[in-house]
PDB file of all heavy atoms in Angstrom:
ATOM      1  N   GLU B 236     215.632  74.268 -22.006  1.00 98.00           N
ATOM      2  CA  GLU B 236     216.110  73.041 -22.645  1.00 98.00           C
ATOM      3  C   GLU B 236     217.662  73.035 -22.843  1.00 98.00           C
ATOM      4  O   GLU B 236     218.163  72.477 -23.790  1.00 98.00           O
ATOM      5  CB  GLU B 236     215.388  72.776 -24.014  1.00 98.00           C
ATOM      6  CG  GLU B 236     213.937  72.471 -23.812  1.00 98.00           C
ATOM      7  CD  GLU B 236     213.332  71.699 -24.958  1.00 98.00           C
ATOM      8  OE1 GLU B 236     213.969  70.786 -25.438  1.00 98.00           O
ATOM      9  OE2 GLU B 236     212.249  72.026 -25.362  1.00 98.00           O
ATOM     10  N   ARG B 237     218.327  73.749 -21.919  1.00 98.00           N
ATOM     11  CA  ARG B 237     219.816  73.642 -21.924  1.00 98.00           C
ATOM     12  C   ARG B 237     220.268  72.525 -20.935  1.00 98.00           C
ATOM     13  O   ARG B 237     219.457  71.972 -20.172  1.00 98.00           O
ATOM     14  CB  ARG B 237     220.382  74.991 -21.477  1.00 98.00           C
ATOM     15  CG  ARG B 237     220.043  76.185 -22.374  1.00 98.00           C
ATOM     16  CD  ARG B 237     220.558  77.411 -21.784  1.00 98.00           C
ATOM     17  NE  ARG B 237     220.115  77.647 -20.407  1.00 98.00           N
ATOM     18  CZ  ARG B 237     220.437  78.718 -19.674  1.00 98.00           C
ATOM     19  NH1 ARG B 237     221.233  79.635 -20.124  1.00 98.00           N
ATOM     20  NH2 ARG B 237     219.945  78.768 -18.402  1.00 98.00           N
ATOM     21  N   ILE B 238     221.550  72.222 -21.013  1.00 98.00           N
ATOM     22  CA  ILE B 238     222.069  71.171 -20.190  1.00 98.00           C
ATOM     23  C   ILE B 238     221.985  71.485 -18.686  1.00 98.00           C
ATOM     24  O   ILE B 238     222.104  72.686 -18.300  1.00 98.00           O
ATOM     25  CB  ILE B 238     223.537  70.838 -20.557  1.00 98.00           C
ATOM     26  CG1 ILE B 238     223.894  69.412 -20.175  1.00 98.00           C
ATOM     27  CG2 ILE B 238     224.527  71.882 -19.957  1.00 98.00           C
ATOM     28  CD1 ILE B 238     225.106  68.870 -20.927  1.00 98.00           C
ATOM     29  N   THR B 239     221.653  70.495 -17.895  1.00 98.00           N
ATOM     30  CA  THR B 239     221.720  70.693 -16.420  1.00 98.00           C
ATOM     31  C   THR B 239     222.044  69.317 -15.830  1.00 98.00           C
ATOM     32  O   THR B 239     221.670  68.275 -16.358  1.00 98.00           O
ATOM     33  CB  THR B 239     220.372  71.244 -15.936  1.00 98.00           C
ATOM     34  OG1 THR B 239     220.454  71.410 -14.478  1.00 98.00           O
ATOM     35  CG2 THR B 239     219.232  70.309 -16.204  1.00 98.00           C
ATOM     36  N   TYR B 240     222.725  69.374 -14.689  1.00 98.00           N
ATOM     37  CA  TYR B 240     223.173  68.132 -14.076  1.00 98.00           C
ATOM     38  C   TYR B 240     222.463  67.835 -12.774  1.00 98.00           C
ATOM     39  O   TYR B 240     222.014  66.743 -12.497  1.00 98.00           O
ATOM     40  CB  TYR B 240     224.703  68.126 -13.833  1.00 98.00           C
ATOM     41  CG  TYR B 240     225.511  68.506 -15.016  1.00 98.00           C
ATOM     42  CD1 TYR B 240     226.384  69.622 -15.000  1.00 98.00           C
ATOM     43  CD2 TYR B 240     225.459  67.805 -16.204  1.00 98.00           C
ATOM     44  CE1 TYR B 240     227.124  69.950 -16.081  1.00 98.00           C
ATOM     45  CE2 TYR B 240     226.243  68.130 -17.320  1.00 98.00           C
ATOM     46  CZ  TYR B 240     227.031  69.216 -17.236  1.00 98.00           C
ATOM     47  OH  TYR B 240     227.792  69.559 -18.360  1.00 98.00           O
ATOM     48  N   TYR B 241     222.359  68.910 -11.936  1.00 98.00           N
ATOM     49  CA  TYR B 241     221.812  68.635 -10.547  1.00 98.00           C
ATOM     50  C   TYR B 241     220.272  68.397 -10.595  1.00 98.00           C
ATOM     51  O   TYR B 241     219.779  67.576  -9.862  1.00 98.00           O
ATOM     52  CB  TYR B 241     222.159  69.852  -9.648  1.00 98.00           C
ATOM     53  CG  TYR B 241     221.422  69.853  -8.341  1.00 98.00           C
ATOM     54  CD1 TYR B 241     221.784  68.905  -7.358  1.00 98.00           C
ATOM     55  CD2 TYR B 241     220.336  70.676  -8.081  1.00 98.00           C
ATOM     56  CE1 TYR B 241     221.117  68.897  -6.143  1.00 98.00           C
ATOM     57  CE2 TYR B 241     219.719  70.630  -6.898  1.00 98.00           C
ATOM     58  CZ  TYR B 241     220.055  69.725  -5.955  1.00 98.00           C
ATOM     59  OH  TYR B 241     219.367  69.684  -4.772  1.00 98.00           O
ATOM     60  N   ASP B 242     219.600  69.207 -11.355  1.00 97.00           N
ATOM     61  CA  ASP B 242     218.115  69.121 -11.381  1.00 97.00           C
ATOM     62  C   ASP B 242     217.574  69.668 -12.664  1.00 97.00           C
ATOM     63  O   ASP B 242     218.091  70.597 -13.237  1.00 97.00           O
ATOM     64  CB  ASP B 242     217.605  69.942 -10.172  1.00 97.00           C
ATOM     65  CG  ASP B 242     216.086  69.666  -9.979  1.00 97.00           C
ATOM     66  OD1 ASP B 242     215.731  68.465  -9.965  1.00 97.00           O
ATOM     67  OD2 ASP B 242     215.316  70.673  -9.789  1.00 97.00           O
ATOM     68  N   GLY B 243     216.503  69.044 -13.111  1.00 97.00           N
ATOM     69  CA  GLY B 243     215.868  69.490 -14.351  1.00 97.00           C
ATOM     70  C   GLY B 243     214.659  68.576 -14.661  1.00 97.00           C
ATOM     71  O   GLY B 243     214.174  67.919 -13.782  1.00 97.00           O
ATOM     72  N   THR B 244     214.268  68.619 -15.878  1.00 98.00           N
ATOM     73  CA  THR B 244     213.224  67.742 -16.380  1.00 98.00           C
ATOM     74  C   THR B 244     213.869  66.713 -17.305  1.00 98.00           C
ATOM     75  O   THR B 244     214.687  67.019 -18.140  1.00 98.00           O
ATOM     76  CB  THR B 244     212.191  68.547 -17.193  1.00 98.00           C
ATOM     77  OG1 THR B 244     211.646  69.558 -16.348  1.00 98.00           O
ATOM     78  CG2 THR B 244     211.099  67.637 -17.767  1.00 98.00           C
ATOM     79  N   GLN B 245     213.506  65.430 -17.106  1.00 98.00           N
ATOM     80  CA  GLN B 245     214.034  64.382 -17.950  1.00 98.00           C
ATOM     81  C   GLN B 245     213.376  64.450 -19.329  1.00 98.00           C
ATOM     82  O   GLN B 245     212.132  64.440 -19.427  1.00 98.00           O
ATOM     83  CB  GLN B 245     213.842  63.037 -17.347  1.00 98.00           C
ATOM     84  CG  GLN B 245     214.661  62.790 -16.098  1.00 98.00           C
ATOM     85  CD  GLN B 245     216.108  63.144 -16.222  1.00 98.00           C
ATOM     86  OE1 GLN B 245     216.589  64.111 -15.592  1.00 98.00           O
ATOM     87  NE2 GLN B 245     216.830  62.370 -16.998  1.00 98.00           N
ATOM     88  N   LYS B 246     214.196  64.510 -20.379  1.00 98.00           N
ATOM     89  CA  LYS B 246     213.689  64.540 -21.707  1.00 98.00           C
ATOM     90  C   LYS B 246     214.209  63.318 -22.464  1.00 98.00           C
ATOM     91  O   LYS B 246     215.336  62.913 -22.377  1.00 98.00           O
ATOM     92  CB  LYS B 246     214.256  65.846 -22.429  1.00 98.00           C
ATOM     93  CG  LYS B 246     213.815  65.966 -23.880  1.00 98.00           C
ATOM     94  CD  LYS B 246     214.398  67.221 -24.488  1.00 98.00           C
ATOM     95  CE  LYS B 246     214.206  67.320 -25.981  1.00 98.00           C
ATOM     96  NZ  LYS B 246     214.852  68.523 -26.555  1.00 98.00           N
ATOM     97  N   ILE B 247     213.218  62.710 -23.179  1.00 98.00           N
ATOM     98  CA  ILE B 247     213.577  61.493 -23.945  1.00 98.00           C
ATOM     99  C   ILE B 247     213.275  61.694 -25.403  1.00 98.00           C
ATOM    100  O   ILE B 247     212.204  62.227 -25.764  1.00 98.00           O
ATOM    101  CB  ILE B 247     212.687  60.266 -23.435  1.00 98.00           C
ATOM    102  CG1 ILE B 247     212.988  60.116 -21.950  1.00 98.00           C
ATOM    103  CG2 ILE B 247     213.109  59.004 -24.180  1.00 98.00           C
ATOM    104  CD1 ILE B 247     211.827  59.270 -21.291  1.00 98.00           C
ATOM    105  N   ILE B 248     214.215  61.297 -26.228  1.00 98.00           N
ATOM    106  CA  ILE B 248     214.001  61.307 -27.715  1.00 98.00           C
ATOM    107  C   ILE B 248     214.230  59.939 -28.258  1.00 98.00           C
ATOM    108  O   ILE B 248     214.923  59.081 -27.634  1.00 98.00           O
ATOM    109  CB  ILE B 248     214.972  62.302 -28.444  1.00 98.00           C
ATOM    110  CG1 ILE B 248     216.416  61.960 -28.173  1.00 98.00           C
ATOM    111  CG2 ILE B 248     214.690  63.734 -28.018  1.00 98.00           C
ATOM    112  CD1 ILE B 248     217.423  62.787 -29.030  1.00 98.00           C
ATOM    113  N   ASP B 249     213.610  59.629 -29.418  1.00 97.00           N
ATOM    114  CA  ASP B 249     213.754  58.308 -30.032  1.00 97.00           C
ATOM    115  C   ASP B 249     215.039  58.387 -30.914  1.00 97.00           C
ATOM    116  O   ASP B 249     215.667  59.408 -31.012  1.00 97.00           O
ATOM    117  CB  ASP B 249     212.534  57.845 -30.768  1.00 97.00           C
ATOM    118  CG  ASP B 249     212.162  58.723 -31.925  1.00 97.00           C
ATOM    119  OD1 ASP B 249     213.041  59.474 -32.436  1.00 97.00           O
ATOM    120  OD2 ASP B 249     211.049  58.671 -32.397  1.00 97.00           O
ATOM    121  N   SER B 250     215.291  57.334 -31.617  1.00 98.00           N
ATOM    122  CA  SER B 250     216.532  57.227 -32.426  1.00 98.00           C
ATOM    123  C   SER B 250     216.539  58.182 -33.576  1.00 98.00           C
ATOM    124  O   SER B 250     217.642  58.512 -34.174  1.00 98.00           O
ATOM    125  CB  SER B 250     216.804  55.792 -32.919  1.00 98.00           C
ATOM    126  OG  SER B 250     215.704  55.422 -33.759  1.00 98.00           O
ATOM    127  N   ASP B 251     215.367  58.730 -33.957  1.00 97.00           N
ATOM    128  CA  ASP B 251     215.331  59.728 -35.006  1.00 97.00           C
ATOM    129  C   ASP B 251     215.324  61.131 -34.486  1.00 97.00           C
ATOM    130  O   ASP B 251     215.308  62.095 -35.235  1.00 97.00           O
ATOM    131  CB  ASP B 251     214.074  59.530 -35.857  1.00 97.00           C
ATOM    132  CG  ASP B 251     214.117  58.227 -36.672  1.00 97.00           C
ATOM    133  OD1 ASP B 251     215.196  57.885 -37.143  1.00 97.00           O
ATOM    134  OD2 ASP B 251     213.083  57.640 -36.849  1.00 97.00           O
ATOM    135  N   GLY B 252     215.385  61.269 -33.140  1.00 97.00           N
ATOM    136  CA  GLY B 252     215.408  62.602 -32.573  1.00 97.00           C
ATOM    137  C   GLY B 252     214.025  63.151 -32.197  1.00 97.00           C
ATOM    138  O   GLY B 252     213.933  64.284 -31.725  1.00 97.00           O
ATOM    139  N   ASN B 253     212.997  62.371 -32.420  1.00 97.00           N
ATOM    140  CA  ASN B 253     211.605  62.841 -32.054  1.00 97.00           C
ATOM    141  C   ASN B 253     211.415  62.749 -30.545  1.00 97.00           C
ATOM    142  O   ASN B 253     211.880  61.830 -29.890  1.00 97.00           O
ATOM    143  CB  ASN B 253     210.572  61.948 -32.763  1.00 97.00           C
ATOM    144  CG  ASN B 253     210.761  61.945 -34.297  1.00 97.00           C
ATOM    145  OD1 ASN B 253     210.867  63.017 -34.868  1.00 97.00           O
ATOM    146  ND2 ASN B 253     210.828  60.791 -34.846  1.00 97.00           N
ATOM    147  N   LEU B 254     210.655  63.732 -30.016  1.00 98.00           N
ATOM    148  CA  LEU B 254     210.430  63.751 -28.597  1.00 98.00           C
ATOM    149  C   LEU B 254     209.491  62.578 -28.229  1.00 98.00           C
ATOM    150  O   LEU B 254     208.397  62.404 -28.781  1.00 98.00           O
ATOM    151  CB  LEU B 254     209.750  65.083 -28.229  1.00 98.00           C
ATOM    152  CG  LEU B 254     209.434  65.232 -26.682  1.00 98.00           C
ATOM    153  CD1 LEU B 254     210.686  65.300 -25.876  1.00 98.00           C
ATOM    154  CD2 LEU B 254     208.549  66.441 -26.467  1.00 98.00           C
ATOM    155  N   VAL B 255     209.920  61.781 -27.229  1.00 97.00           N
ATOM    156  CA  VAL B 255     209.082  60.695 -26.721  1.00 97.00           C
ATOM    157  C   VAL B 255     208.313  61.189 -25.548  1.00 97.00           C
ATOM    158  O   VAL B 255     207.125  60.900 -25.382  1.00 97.00           O
ATOM    159  CB  VAL B 255     209.943  59.517 -26.272  1.00 97.00           C
ATOM    160  CG1 VAL B 255     209.151  58.435 -25.628  1.00 97.00           C
ATOM    161  CG2 VAL B 255     210.712  58.915 -27.424  1.00 97.00           C
ATOM    162  N   GLY B 256     208.873  62.075 -24.708  1.00 97.00           N
ATOM    163  CA  GLY B 256     208.180  62.601 -23.602  1.00 97.00           C
ATOM    164  C   GLY B 256     209.109  63.269 -22.590  1.00 97.00           C
ATOM    165  O   GLY B 256     210.347  63.218 -22.772  1.00 97.00           O
TER     166      GLY B 256
END
Side-chain angles (χ1 to χ4, degrees):
Chain B
E236 294 203 43
R237 298 176 307 179
I238 202 159
T239 182
Y240 309 122
Y241 169 74
D242 191 44
T244 298
Q245 292 310 112
K246 178 181 173 183
I247 304 160
I248 60 173
D249 66 18
S250 62
D251 290 323
N253 303 308
L254 181 68
V255 175

